Amino acid sequence: MPGGSLSNLLTLCECPGTMWEGSRLRLPCGIRVRFLYDPQGWCALGIISFIWAYNTVFIPSLVIVPMYHDDKLPLGTLVFYFLMSSMTVVCLYLSVTTNPGIVPLDIQPSAVEAADWTICKVCQIRRPPRSHHCRRCQQCVRKMDHHCPWINNCVGEENHWLFIQLLYYTLVLVSMSIALAVLHLYYSPPCSYCSPDVFPFSYIRPLLWFTCGQGVLFFPAAIGLVFGQTFNIIIDRTTLENMADPYFKAGVPSPRAIHEAFTDICGTKNVFCWLWPLRRRRPITAQAGYSYYRHM
């Protein structure tokens, strides 16, 4: 590490948005998880968590269960909705707490890799190709896509696959919530046992209108993110690389096969595992002298 960089690192570690080793949240039973101390990120994450909890409670209780009780929806609808809701919150938790691929301060490249590595102008550490320094987290992240305030974390090489899963499950959950709310509001007859004197049935229309309002705001964003991220994965470009070269002046990248692209991101060739978050991504392995960054 070049001389004089120690003072820069100490300054970074004192910043309120830093995510170095001390940035761990202690949970009951001695469990410690990574968590970025950023009030702005907390607010965004709180909004997302509230919307998930709101729809997970009110859509089943106001729409799915009453319609199932009246034989208008199969039991599978309720099971599938709770499955999508569970997968969404699991992916959200893992996206927030997973190390995105922080470049260690003392990492040294192999002799083969050394020519491709660069030195960060901010924290003065050596880093692999396509790494980027996040000014929000005050750290270098391998193959950083962007810093996402909605998950209060960077999206990098090690949690990009979880972020993609979060987008897919969120899109399915939002679509189902909107469709079921509209179905109940405008097409389905009143349920036979819903008493208007009992909460939440006494406020069923405002509660479902609020769900539709959420959908108007978040459905277009979810669609855009899903297609944008999928396109970037196929052409092997990150969001930051697109921002740096939006017109492909460095050359138009050749699209990869979908299986190859998602195998690279998800760390497994098993298609069924691409959407399963409760697993470990394949660790980076050494190949032909590349000991740190090259994999798959």
Side-chain angles (χ1 to χ4, degrees):
M1 185 179 300
S5 61
L6 180 59
S7 60
N8 295 336
L9 293 175
L10 292 176
T11 301
L12 293 176
C13 291
E14 293 172 357
C15 293
T18 190
M19 196 176 177
W20 298 107
E21 291 301 323
S23 181
R24 294 183 181 271
L25 181 67
R26 185 179 295 275
L27 299 178
C29 303
I31 300 174
R32 301 183 70 185
V33 296
R34 302 184 59 83
F35 194 74
L36 175 63
Y37 297 120
D38 182 1
Q40 180 179 341
W42 294 347
C43 293
L45 183 58
I47 293 172
I48 293 296
S49 301
F50 168 77
I51 291 174
W52 168 82
Y54 180 94
N55 289 291
T56 300
V57 171
F58 287 118
I59 291 297
S61 61
L62 294 177
V63 181
I64 302 179
V65 172
M67 294 183 72
Y68 168 71
H69 183 270
D70 292 341
D71 295 326
K72 296 182 177 67
L73 282 178
L75 179 61
T77 304
L78 180 64
V79 173
F80 185 74
Y81 189 88
F82 276 121
L83 175 62
M84 292 298 100
S85 179
S86 301
M87 297 299 283
T88 299
V89 75
V90 168
C91 290
L92 177 61
Y93 170 79
L94 293 175
S95 298
V96 170
T97 58
T98 298
N99 184 337
I102 297 173
V103 180
L105 302 181
D106 57 350
I107 189 66
Q108 293 296 328
S110 67
V112 179
E113 293 176 305
D116 297 330
W117 285 40
T118 59
I119 296 179
C120 177
K121 297 179 180 179
V122 180
C123 56
Q124 300 297 311
I125 66 171
R126 303 196 72 178
R127 61 188 187 182
R130 304 183 73 180
S131 299
H132 186 83
H133 185 89
C134 177
R135 289 177 291 182
R136 195 75 190 173
C137 298
Q138 300 294 342
Q139 62 192 359
C140 283
V141 178
R142 301 194 313 272
K143 200 178 179 182
M144 177 178 168
D145 188 82
H146 67 288
H147 179 90
C148 180
W150 299 107
I151 65 171
N152 194 35
N153 198 3
C154 289
V155 177
E157 184 177 359
E158 294 300 328
N159 70 341
H160 199 169
W161 64 286
L162 293 167
F163 182 72
I164 292 295
Q165 290 181 5
L166 174 63
L167 293 180
Y168 289 159
Y169 287 124
T170 298
L171 180 60
V172 173
L173 190 64
V174 170
S175 302
M176 287 191 67
S177 299
I178 297 173
L180 290 168
V182 171
L183 177 67
H184 192 79
L185 283 171
Y186 298 104
Y187 298 101
S188 177
C191 68
S192 59
Y193 78 96
C194 301
S195 174
D197 299 325
V198 177
F199 182 84
F201 300 112
S202 55
Y203 297 95
I204 185 170
R205 297 188 72 84
L207 291 171
L208 293 182
W209 282 338
F210 185 64
T211 293
C212 294
Q214 297 169 20
V216 170
L217 294 176
F218 287 96
F219 184 76
I223 285 285
L225 285 170
V226 165
F227 279 96
Q229 287 289 321
T230 302
F231 176 75
N232 285 347
I233 290 173
I234 292 175
I235 65 173
D236 194 20
R237 295 252 295 191
T238 66
T239 300
L240 291 174
E241 290 169 348
N242 287 337
M243 293 173 63
D245 184 17
Y247 302 108
F248 302 102
K249 294 180 179 179
V252 178
S254 300
R256 299 184 292 178
I258 294 178
H259 188 271
E260 176 189 352
F262 278 89
T263 294
D264 182 34
I265 289 293
C266 298
T268 177
K269 296 180 180 180
N270 190 330
V271 177
F272 295 102
C273 290
W274 289 353
L275 293 176
W276 181 249
L278 299 177
R279 63 177 177 84
R280 295 183 65 89
R281 184 176 182 271
R282 178 185 292 183
I284 297 172
T285 57
Q287 292 183 4
Y290 289 88
S291 60
Y292 190 72
Y293 184 72
R294 304 298 174 89
H295 58 95
M296 302 308 300

